[in-house]
Amino acid sequence: MTQRKLQPDAYNDWFSFKTVAAMGDMESPDTTAPRQSGIRALLPDKAFVISRKGQLLIAEVVLSFICFICFVASTAAAFVTAPLVEFLLAFFLLFAYSSKFNERFKGFHWPLMDFLRCVSASVIFFIISIISVSKYIDVASKAAGVFGFIATIVFALDFYAIFNDLANFLKQGDTTEQPTTEEDSNSDSD
């Protein structure tokens, strides 16, 4: 069992005590950035909000919430769980990315988790939108289906952007490796 100790942060807040493992399994957050206090700490960072990822996450949160409300008001209430779960996941990732929470826990593969969330959300929203538009006749179901189709497009744009970022990152990683010569691959080392 590792020995744990409490270390006070530079700001000496009541909330600023952090547990640091002796083995270094949790990296300490960067303390050079200025901290916001009060309600401003809960608001997303302006630089993140105006970025492409921030705008996509805000659109995902809003569209998932609108779909949730429409499904609650419709006769297709069986589909209420999917928009609620996607709303909560998108809201969590919006909070995590805007507060730099993802930089504190580097053990999680945040881009991969976000990519899988977007792929599953776009497929699920597409399926429930088709069913709600074609099977149910009330206006709230039709509205939920239309907003679901819009959410499908937004989630698809997000996973396309994540995929391109990951592909570019992997391409940059491949250029640092030593190129293999044709002589090495054709040699018989038996």
Side-chain angles (χ1 to χ4, degrees):
M1 196 109 215
T2 61
Q3 186 76 13
R4 294 185 183 262
K5 61 182 180 175
L6 291 176
Q7 293 180 346
D9 200 24
Y11 296 98
N12 293 326
D13 292 347
W14 184 75
F15 293 110
S16 65
F17 285 95
K18 55 188 173 206
T19 304
V20 179
M23 297 300 290
D25 58 339
M26 181 177 154
E27 297 186 23
S28 63
D30 185 20
T31 57
T32 60
R35 297 182 102 184
Q36 296 177 349
S37 62
I39 193 73
R40 299 200 75 160
L42 296 176
L43 296 175
D45 186 29
K46 185 177 181 182
F48 177 73
V49 170
I50 61 174
S51 70
R52 178 185 62 189
K53 181 66 179 172
Q55 290 176 349
L56 284 172
L57 272 173
I58 290 172
E60 290 168 4
V61 167
V62 168
L63 287 169
S64 297
F65 186 71
I66 290 172
C67 286
F68 170 71
I69 295 298
C70 289
F71 277 124
V72 166
S74 72
T75 58
F79 300 128
V80 77
T81 306
L84 177 64
V85 169
E86 295 303 332
F87 166 73
L88 293 174
L89 288 174
F91 190 73
F92 169 72
L93 283 176
L94 175 67
F95 176 74
Y97 284 139
S98 66
S99 65
K100 308 270 192 250
F101 184 72
N102 61 330
E103 293 175 2
R104 293 182 192 156
F105 295 101
K106 298 185 187 235
F108 292 120
H109 300 286
W110 291 93
L112 180 63
M113 185 174 65
D114 198 17
F115 178 76
L116 293 175
R117 177 192 64 88
C118 290
V119 169
S120 64
S122 63
V123 169
I124 290 170
F125 268 113
F126 185 69
I127 291 170
I128 65 173
S129 297
I130 287 175
I131 294 171
S132 68
V133 167
S134 64
K135 188 176 179 183
Y136 297 96
I137 59 171
D138 60 325
V139 176
S141 296
K142 303 284 186 194
V146 169
F147 283 114
F149 284 127
I150 297 170
T152 299
I153 294 169
V154 171
F155 279 108
L157 286 173
D158 197 6
F159 81 72
Y160 179 74
I162 294 168
F163 180 77
N164 280 339
D165 291 342
L166 286 175
N168 289 336
F169 176 75
L170 291 175
K171 282 181 186 176
Q172 291 173 354
D174 288 343
T175 59
T176 60
E177 295 178 1
Q178 295 290 334
T180 59
T181 61
E182 189 175 314
E183 201 172 283
D184 289 342
S185 62
N186 291 334
S187 68
D188 246 355
S189 61
D190 288 346

